[in-house]
Amino acid sequence: MSAEPDGPEDRLRRFATIWSRAVFPVTSTSSTRPEFEALLLPMARRLSEALRARAFDAEAGRTVGSALVEAHCTDPEVLSRTLDCVDAYLVLYCGEDGDREDLRARSSRIQHAMAAGYAQALRERTLAEQEAIARAALEAQGVVAQALHATEARFRAVFEGAAIGIGIADLEGNILQVNGALRRMFGLSEQGLRGRRVKEWVHPDDAPQTWRLYEELVSGEREHYHLEKAFYRPDGTVLWTNLTVSLLRDPDGEPQYQLALMEDTTERRLLNLRLRYEATHDALTGLPNRTFFFERLEKALGAGEGQRFGLCYLDLDGFKTVNDSLGHAAGDRLLVEVADRLQACATAPGEMVARLGGDEFVALTTGRDTQRTVDELAARIMNALLAPISVDGRDLTVRGSIGIVEGPAGERSAAEVLRSADITMYRAKSAGGNRFELADEEADARAITRHGLTTALPTALDRGEFFIEYQPLVHLGDGSVRGAEALVRWLHPQHGVLSPDRFIPLAEHTGLIVPLGRWVLEQSVLQAREWRDRHGGEALGPLRINVNLSPCQLTHPGLVQDTVDILERTGMAPDALCLEVTESALIGADDDLLKPLRRLAEMGVDIALDDFGTGYSNLANLRRLPVSVLKLDRSFTQNMQQFPADPVDLKIVEGIVSLAHSLDLAVTVEGVETGAQAEQLRILGCDTAQGWYYARPGPPDRLHELALVDATG
Ligand code: C2E
Ligand code: MG
Ligand code: MG
C-alpha cells in the first residue's frame, strides 16, 4: 500500500470498490466484478457530487436508483446493501471537508431519493414486463419500506425532509402522522390532517380495485399496493398522486401501521392530458387525428359478438384547385368549415369524425345497426357539403367522394378496413366524384393488386425484373422475317410473368414509363445489333426492330436525344428502328406534339401508327402525320376468322390498304392466327404481318432461328 495520502478521485474509487463488492454477489449481471465496478463508478460520482452540491438535488439519487434497475440489479438485496453501503461509506469517502451533521442529513436524503428512484424504476418495469418481474418489484418495495423505518433516526430524517408525501395511519385508518410534503400537497396543517380517516378520501375517479386493495392490506393479507389516486383538497381542487401503501409490522411480524408514500402527479397529469390531446387531435380543425381514429376503430373492431362498424372515408373533390388558385390560407379555412359541418353530422353515441390529413376525413359509426346508420351518415355528409362555403367573400362549392365500408367486428384489422375504404373512395372519385360507393371485395382485390403493383413498380426496374420478348414481323409476299416487335414483360417475384396490359398503364400513371421505355428501347436496339452481327452476311436486309412508345414518352423532352444517343452508342442506323405510336395518342395532336416524331422521322427512324382502326381518326389526317407504317389493329384480322369473311370487312381493309399505299405508307397487320387469314391479307395487299401463325412473342434467340430458317430455306 502506498504511503501517499489518497486524492478525492482515489477515495471515490475506493467507495465504488466497496459498493461493488457488497452488491456484486447479489446481481445476476453477466459482467465481471471489475466491469461491474466500472459501471458503478459514474453512479458513485453522481452521489458524491450530490452529497457536496450546494443545493440538494433529489434527481441524482433517483437517477442512480433507477440506473441500478436498468443495470439489471433488481434483486431486492441490491437496494438494501446499496443503502447500507451509502449510509456507512459515502460521507466517509466523499465528504471530507464538510460539516458532518449536514453531510449525514444529506446522505439520508440521498438514500431516500435512491430508494424512491429504485422503486419507481422497478414499478415501471413492473408495468412493462411480465408477472415474474412484477413479483420482484413488489418484494423490492418491501425493502424500500423496511429501509425507511430500519433505523428510527434515519427514518425521521427521511420522513420530514422527503420531497415525497408520507403519512402513517393505524389499521383502523386513523391518520397518525403526516410529513411536510404531504401537508403541502393537501394545503392543510398537521392538525387539519391528523385524526382524519383514510376512508374519507373516496374519490369518484378511484380505480375499482382501490378499496379492495386497501382492505387486503389492513387485514394483513397484502404487504403493499400501488395505484394512481385522486384526492379532493379542502378547497375542492383535485390532487392526483402516485400512491404506494405498505403495511408496517411490529418486530413479531404483527401488522401495526400503514405507511403511505405519495407523489404529487397533478401537474404531470395535466401535462400528459394536454400532450395526449395534442398528440391525438388535428391542430387545424381540432378534430381527432389519424392516431386517435385508429385507436377508436381498433376498439370498434375488437368489440364483441353482434357488434358492427361502418366507416365513411371522405376525400374532397378538387381541393387541390382551391389550394392552388386561392392559396393555402383559404384552403385551410375551407377545411375548418368542412370539419365543423362534418362534426355536426356525427353526434350520436358511437359516432365520431376525424381528419386523416390533407382533405381526407373519416366518419365512424358503431353498434348493431350500422348497415342502416352508415348509409344515413354518408347521406348526412353529402348533404352537409351541399351549401357553398364562403371563403374570402367567395362562395365555394365543395363536393366529396366517399368510400363506405361496413361489417361485423372481429374480422378485419383497422389497417385493412381503412385500405378498403380508401380504395372504395378512389372508385367513387374515378366514377366522377360527388358520390358514395360501397366497398366490394372483388373490386378491392383488383385494386389491391393494382395498388401492390404500383408500389412495387419503381424498384422493379432496378432489380432487373423486366424482360423483353420479340415477335417476328413477316413479309407477306415472300414469308421472310423482316424484323420483330419488342414486347416488354414483368417477371414479378410474387405474381409471375405479367403482361404489359397489367403494368404499362400503372407505369404511365406513375411516370416510370419514361425510364422503363428508355430501357426497352436501349435493350431492343442492342438486340437488333446482335442480330445484325450474327446475321450480317445474309442476303436479306438487316432485321428491324419495332419498339412501342407511350403517349407520355412522346411529350417527354428527352425523347429525341435519348433515341439518338442509343442509336449512336450501339452503332445502329436509324432506319433499323421503328417506333410504334398508338393511333389514339395522335388523334388531334398539334404540331408541338408531332415535332419530336417529325425530327425522328427526318433522321430516318420509321414511325408506325399502332392499333390503327380503333381510334376513329380522320383518315385525311394521316397526311399530316410523320408516319411511314400503318399497323392494322387485331380486330380487323379477327373479323376474317369466319369463312367466308364478311365482304364489307374485306372492302374496308382493302380501302384502308389502298389509301395507305397512296400516301406511301406500308401496311402491317396484327393478330394473324391462321394461314387462311395470312393468305387473305396478302391478297388484300398488306405488306407485313405479325401473329401467332408465325410465332408467339418469345426470347430473342428464337427469332434468330426463324430468320435463319427462312434465309436458308
Ligand atoms: P401492341 O403493340 O398492339 O402489341 C401486340 C400485342 O398483340 C401483343 O400483346 C402481342 O402479344 C399480341 N399478339 C401478337 N400476335 C397475336 C395473335 O396472333 N393473336 C392475339 N390474340 N394476340 C397477338 P402484349 O405483348 O400483351 O402487348 C400488349 C400491348 O402492350 C402492346 O400492344 C403495346 O401497346 C403495349 N406494350 C408492349 N410492350 C411495350 C413497351 O415496351 N412500351 C410500351 N409503351 N408499351 C408496350
Ligand atoms: Mg405495338
Ligand atoms: Mg398493336
Side-chain angles (χ1 to χ4, degrees):
M1 241 214 209
S2 149
E4 288 283 297
D6 287 342
E9 185 63 19
D10 294 321
R11 286 197 296 277
L12 180 70
R13 282 179 186 281
R14 186 119 19 111
F15 171 65
T17 308
I18 295 172
W19 185 8
S20 78
R21 284 213 186 104
V23 172
F24 186 73
V26 291
T27 61
S28 48
T29 160
S30 56
S31 47
T32 61
R33 205 191 58 76
E35 284 167 353
F36 185 66
E37 187 176 323
L39 184 88
L40 290 186
L41 187 63
M43 299 191 209
R45 179 165 289 123
R46 190 87 203 262
L47 295 178
S48 157
E49 285 160 6
L51 184 72
R52 284 173 289 115
R54 189 179 294 261
F56 176 63
D57 169 21
E59 194 49 39
R62 277 202 292 272
T63 311
V64 172
S66 76
L68 283 172
V69 176
E70 256 161 54
H72 306 292
C73 299
T74 48
D75 188 287
E77 270 288 287
V78 170
L79 183 64
S80 67
R81 289 190 186 198
T82 293
L83 292 181
D84 284 341
C85 180
V86 170
D87 196 41
Y89 299 104
L90 183 67
V91 174
L92 199 66
Y93 282 99
C94 304
E96 48 161 357
D97 45 18
D99 176 274
R100 289 276 131 175
E101 268 319 297
D102 286 354
L103 286 170
R104 291 219 58 83
R106 179 62 74 86
S107 167
S108 295
R109 296 176 72 182
I110 291 176
Q111 289 167 52
H112 175 78
M114 285 174 73
Y118 187 87
Q120 169 85 16
L122 267 183
R123 277 202 305 262
E124 276 157 17
R125 271 174 84 114
T126 312
L127 293 175
E129 294 176 2
Q130 310 87 349
E131 260 309 288
I133 297 167
R135 234 174 287 125
L138 289 173
E139 278 168 30
Q141 282 174 21
V143 177
V144 175
Q146 278 163 30
L148 284 171
H149 76 138
T151 67
E152 188 58 27
R154 201 156 93 200
F155 179 60
R156 276 278 120 220
V158 167
F159 187 76
E160 258 320 308
I164 202 164
I166 309 177
I168 298 177
D170 63 20
L171 298 179
E172 278 72 54
N174 299 304
I175 292 164
L176 305 175
Q177 249 178 345
V178 290
N179 74 346
L182 194 96
R183 289 195 296 276
R184 282 191 296 280
M185 278 157 60
F186 276 84
L188 268 177
S189 65
E190 172 109 35
Q191 274 63 39
L193 276 165
R194 214 186 275 167
R196 294 189 57 178
R197 297 174 60 90
V198 174
K199 285 275 192 101
E200 291 171 28
W201 272 295
V202 175
H203 189 276
D205 287 338
D206 285 342
Q209 72 276 26
T210 306
W211 295 101
R212 179 176 52 76
L213 292 173
Y214 175 80
E215 293 301 339
E216 287 174 10
L217 183 111
V218 294
S219 60
E221 292 164 37
R222 159 180 294 280
E223 297 299 313
H224 322 273
Y225 64 87
H226 173 76
L227 295 163
E228 270 207 283
K229 173 155 171 49
F231 295 89
Y232 281 121
R233 295 198 186 93
D235 65 3
T237 57
V238 175
L239 164 73
W240 273 95
T241 64
N242 243 332
L243 172 69
T244 306
V245 184
S246 306
L247 183 62
L248 300 184
R249 295 178 186 265
D250 66 14
D252 301 326
E254 283 303 307
Q256 203 173 15
Y257 301 116
Q258 45 176 320
L259 171 79
L261 301 181
M262 274 182 217
E263 196 189 347
D264 184 345
T265 57
T266 315
E267 287 288 312
R268 204 190 309 157
R269 207 183 147 84
L270 283 176
L271 183 71
N272 280 343
L273 287 177
R274 213 189 68 220
L275 289 178
R276 157 117 188 120
Y277 185 87
E278 280 168 10
T280 54
H281 287 76
D282 168 45
L284 176 67
T285 62
L287 287 183
N289 65 9
R290 178 181 280 273
T291 311
F292 194 5
F293 174 72
F294 244 85
E295 282 173 20
R296 288 285 291 272
L297 179 60
E298 266 165 1
K299 212 165 128 202
L301 293 172
E305 182 106 355
Q307 294 295 322
R308 302 179 71 87
F309 73 94
L311 185 122
C312 298
Y313 193 118
L314 166 76
D315 186 288
L316 301 184
D317 298 337
F319 177 69
K320 193 176 172 304
T321 323
V322 174
N323 250 349
D324 290 349
S325 55
L326 301 180
H328 285 269
D332 282 356
R333 279 197 289 284
L334 182 87
L335 290 175
V336 170
E337 174 65 25
V338 169
D340 285 349
R341 293 188 184 183
L342 292 180
Q343 184 120 57
C345 293
T347 50
E351 291 183 345
M352 88 176 292
V353 168
R355 179 177 176 217
L356 295 187
D359 59 345
E360 289 177 10
F361 298 86
V362 274
L364 179 69
T365 165
T366 55
R368 292 176 177 275
D369 194 18
T370 52
Q371 272 150 310
R372 181 177 57 79
T373 56
V374 78
D375 280 347
E376 291 169 1
L377 183 59
R380 280 203 299 279
I381 293 174
M382 296 301 279
N383 225 355
L385 296 178
L386 278 183
I389 293 179
S390 160
V391 173
D392 294 347
R394 254 180 252 252
D395 278 348
L396 301 177
T397 308
V398 180
R399 296 279 179 262
S401 304
I402 299 180
I404 300 178
V405 183
E406 194 281 333
E411 285 186 359
R412 280 184 282 177
S413 73
E416 281 165 352
V417 168
L418 217 57
R419 188 164 61 177
S420 168
D422 182 32
I423 288 167
T424 312
M425 179 276 290
Y426 267 106
R427 203 146 40 82
K429 193 151 279 219
S430 41
N434 191 24
R435 71 190 64 216
F436 52 82
E437 292 275 345
L438 259 162
D440 145 30
E441 257 172 62
E442 235 173 71
D444 271 18
R446 273 198 310 275
I448 285 169
T449 20
R450 196 183 136 92
H451 180 83
L453 291 184
T454 310
T455 47
L457 253 181
T459 47
L461 189 57
D462 295 333
R463 294 204 191 135
E465 290 172 3
F466 293 106
F467 67 97
I468 301 173
E469 285 189 325
Y470 298 88
Q471 187 177 32
L473 288 156
V474 176
H475 191 262
L476 278 170
D478 60 14
S480 65
V481 175
R482 293 293 170 92
E485 178 173 7
L487 296 160
V488 66
R489 277 90 181 85
W490 179 5
L491 179 57
H492 188 282
Q494 274 96 47
H495 303 296
V497 176
L498 299 179
S499 77
D501 296 332
R502 295 283 302 277
F503 62 87
I504 291 286
L506 303 180
E508 286 173 342
H509 189 69
T510 56
L512 187 82
I513 191 68
V514 172
L516 175 62
R518 200 185 296 132
W519 180 83
V520 172
L521 183 66
E522 176 156 33
Q523 294 301 305
S524 316
V525 173
L526 274 171
Q527 186 55 57
R529 188 183 65 184
E530 202 187 309
W531 285 326
R532 184 194 68 185
D533 293 348
R534 286 165 64 176
H535 204 264
E538 252 71 69
L540 295 160
L543 285 178
R544 292 152 37 94
I545 186 77
N546 283 33
V547 178
N548 292 285
L549 277 193
S550 269
C552 315
Q553 289 172 275
L554 279 186
T555 52
H556 190 265
L559 175 67
V560 176
Q561 194 58 50
D562 285 346
T563 311
V564 171
D565 286 349
I566 288 170
L567 289 172
E568 281 182 356
R569 237 178 306 138
T570 50
M572 291 297 281
D575 64 4
L577 174 66
C578 174
L579 294 175
E580 298 190 2
V581 184
T582 56
E583 182 194 8
S584 50
L586 294 187
I587 290 180
D590 58 16
D591 279 344
D592 278 347
L593 187 74
L594 294 176
K595 210 180 271 167
L597 283 186
R598 189 158 282 132
R599 285 206 38 211
L600 289 166
E602 283 159 6
M603 278 161 40
V605 173
D606 271 319
I607 309 292
L609 203 53
D610 202 355
D611 301 344
F612 185 80
T614 54
Y616 308 103
S617 61
N618 182 347
L619 289 182
N621 236 349
L622 281 177
R623 191 192 268 288
R624 277 181 58 232
L625 302 177
V627 295
S628 44
V629 181
L630 275 194
K631 281 190 87 171
L632 271 192
D633 188 66
R634 247 201 325 269
S635 51
F636 290 102
T637 330
Q638 259 152 16
N639 290 345
M640 280 171 209
Q641 231 146 20
Q642 316 96 306
F643 192 83
D646 180 353
V648 179
D649 283 343
L650 295 183
K651 274 270 168 259
I652 292 175
V653 174
E654 196 174 19
I656 293 176
V657 171
S658 75
L659 176 74
H661 284 166
S662 71
L663 291 169
D664 242 0
L665 303 176
V667 177
T668 301
V669 283
E670 293 185 274
V672 180
E673 293 179 0
T674 64
Q677 285 170 339
E679 182 53 17
Q680 184 75 265
L681 289 160
R682 188 187 63 78
I683 294 167
L684 290 173
C686 297
D687 305 288
T688 29
Q690 178 180 355
W692 297 346
Y693 172 62
Y694 306 102
R696 298 209 175 213
D701 289 347
R702 280 263 321 285
L703 191 102
H704 187 239
E705 284 157 23
L706 283 172
L708 270 186
V709 167
D710 341 297
T712 50

